[in-house]
Amino acid sequence: MTQWRNWSGSVVANPAAIARPRDEAELAAIVRDARQVRVTGAGHSFMPLCETKGTLISLADMVGDLIVAADRRSVDAPAGWSLKRLTEALWAEGLSLPNQGDVNPQSLAGALSTGTHGTGRDLGSLATLARSFRLVTADGSVVDCDAVTLPDLFQAQRLSLGMLGVVTRVRIAVIPALHLEERIERRPLAEVLDRLPELAVATRHMEFFQFPYSDTVTLKTLHPTDATELTREEGGDQVFQACCDLAAAAPRAVPMIQRTLSRLIRPSRRAGPAWRIFPSERQVRFEEMEYELPVANAVAALRESLALLRSHRMPLIFPFEFRMVAADDIWLSPFHAGPCASISVHQYAPMPWARHFAELEAVFRAHGGRPHWAKRHTLTSDDVRTLYPNAEAFGDVRRAIDPEGKFMNDDLRRLFNFSL
């Protein structure tokens, strides 16, 4: 039996076949003849977005080149390329993405289709960079869409969870090659929360990591710089891996382990090409839940979630991650209602996470939060319609382009049953 697992190992699929087409014609034939289709990139979704009993498609072997627009403000790129491959190719052309998240193995199409983001008060998710899509639809047809040609399809496709077709190429906005300096420092939690608006304005990219049983944070800022060489290479995760293994063996030791890890943080700097500075190593396997909260509610939500975690002595060994993301107008984007602060909760993959995530999720929901689609959440179909005023419009587009639901799976049918 063919089996597929996601990066964390918690989502297991048994598709009838795994296909790796080499070109668009081969892909179109596979899609046309399949009963059900889902597409996988690096498997970094923690929700069962890639699960299917039909055909699971990887675009990793698809041929294609990077095409730079004459004005050098956008590029046309293969959708199956990893962000690492894309950003390295952009750098060779003297270009960069305006922003990235803190890991880069995800496929371009997967990152766009799930609303993946970095941090920056004035910077939107990667989906806001999309300018056009080329996709293979349920009957094997190839369709191009942008803000002028098939505008409703384009709007829906900007964040589609893969429900509209298989994207083969994407045109995305880019900027001239960017160098960044990363600064890491330890700060008191109370100070950072009190100065949050000031810190968000003062830096192009700002985030912090907070071990829940510590009263300090690791503040990370990225600033444009003229430096041209990488001045410090990223270290490995060996120490943290050992701490996670200790936590799994002795969950009651988590508070002590976290306070010790927090004290070990030392100020540091590194500088170099943005495509190398944005991502960090993430070798320790984890599960993740992330909620996007209205900026005005974010500090209260963080304080309440920390208080709940401590009072229930939840053995979550990973730090919380706090980032800023600009508003957008994308139908299914969690940032559609205004600028957001993003709070991510992680747990070491071998340790229990579901009950703890559910308790914290209730806090984030009470503060107006909407989840990252690819990370753990318990939304229902009614929740989707309540949280996303344009969900019905998305459903209309989905029904029109895939009336038989070829690109749906069981979990997506549960979430979007109003579009069937």
Side-chain angles (χ1 to χ4, degrees), residues 213 243-260 309-310 312-317 347 351-352 355-356:
Y213 292 101
C243 289
C244 288
D245 290 335
L246 176 59
R252 291 185 179 181
V254 164
M256 178 271 294
I257 296 170
Q258 287 195 353
R259 286 190 286 268
T260 300
L309 182 148
R310 291 172 178 178
H312 289 196
R313 296 190 62 82
M314 298 180 190
L316 299 180
I317 185 60
Q347 174 65 309
M351 296 179 69
R355 178 169 60 85
H356 307 310

Side-chain angles (χ1 to χ4, degrees), residues 115-126:
T116 294
H117 61 89
T119 187
R121 188 193 68 151
D122 300 319
L123 298 165
S125 74
L126 294 185

Side-chain angles (χ1 to χ4, degrees), residues 119-123 192 194-207 219 221-224 295 322 324-325:
T119 187
R121 188 193 68 151
D122 300 319
L123 298 165
V192 170
D194 287 345
R195 296 181 56 202
L196 194 60
E198 172 192 343
L199 293 170
V201 170
T203 57
R204 189 174 193 269
H205 309 273
M206 182 278 297
E207 66 180 307
L219 180 67
T221 56
L222 302 177
H223 308 263
V295 170
F322 188 103
M324 310 292 284
V325 187

Side-chain angles (χ1 to χ4, degrees), residues 219-391:
L219 180 67
K220 173 180 174 180
T221 56
L222 302 177
H223 308 263
T225 179
D226 293 330
T228 59
E229 297 295 329
L230 196 73
T231 54
R232 179 178 67 81
E233 291 287 351
E234 187 72 14
D237 284 341
Q238 295 89 344
V239 171
F240 189 55
Q241 177 70 68
C243 289
C244 288
D245 290 335
L246 176 59
R252 291 185 179 181
V254 164
M256 178 271 294
I257 296 170
Q258 287 195 353
R259 286 190 286 268
T260 300
L261 285 170
S262 182
R263 286 194 294 270
L264 293 176
I265 302 299
R266 295 290 181 268
S268 64
R269 294 187 180 187
R270 63 175 181 148
W275 73 274
R276 297 187 66 181
I277 297 296
F278 276 126
S280 302
E281 288 190 44
R282 292 290 185 271
Q283 297 177 351
V284 181
R285 306 283 168 152
F286 56 81
E287 288 294 315
E288 183 176 1
M289 174 180 70
E290 177 181 299
Y291 262 75
E292 326 302 349
L293 296 119
V295 170
N297 300 353
V299 169
L302 180 62
R303 292 186 190 279
E304 187 176 335
S305 61
L306 289 174
L308 178 66
L309 182 148
R310 291 172 178 178
S311 67
H312 289 196
R313 296 190 62 82
M314 298 180 190
L316 299 180
I317 185 60
F318 272 68
F320 282 17
E321 183 178 12
F322 188 103
R323 291 177 284 177
M324 310 292 284
V325 187
D328 62 45
D329 61 353
I330 301 173
W331 287 350
L332 290 187
S333 169
F335 312 107
H336 77 277
C340 290
S342 168
I343 301 178
S344 301
V345 181
H346 308 71
Q347 174 65 309
Y348 185 37
M351 296 179 69
W353 54 268
R355 178 169 60 85
H356 307 310
F357 282 12
E359 292 182 73
L360 294 170
E361 183 180 30
V363 174
F364 299 143
R365 287 291 305 276
H367 284 275
R370 294 172 296 277
H372 188 304
W373 287 105
K375 301 176 184 182
R376 291 291 177 178
H377 64 81
T378 62
L379 292 193
T380 66
S381 184
D382 287 341
D383 292 330
V384 172
R385 281 184 287 188
T386 299
L387 293 173
Y388 297 91
N390 292 306

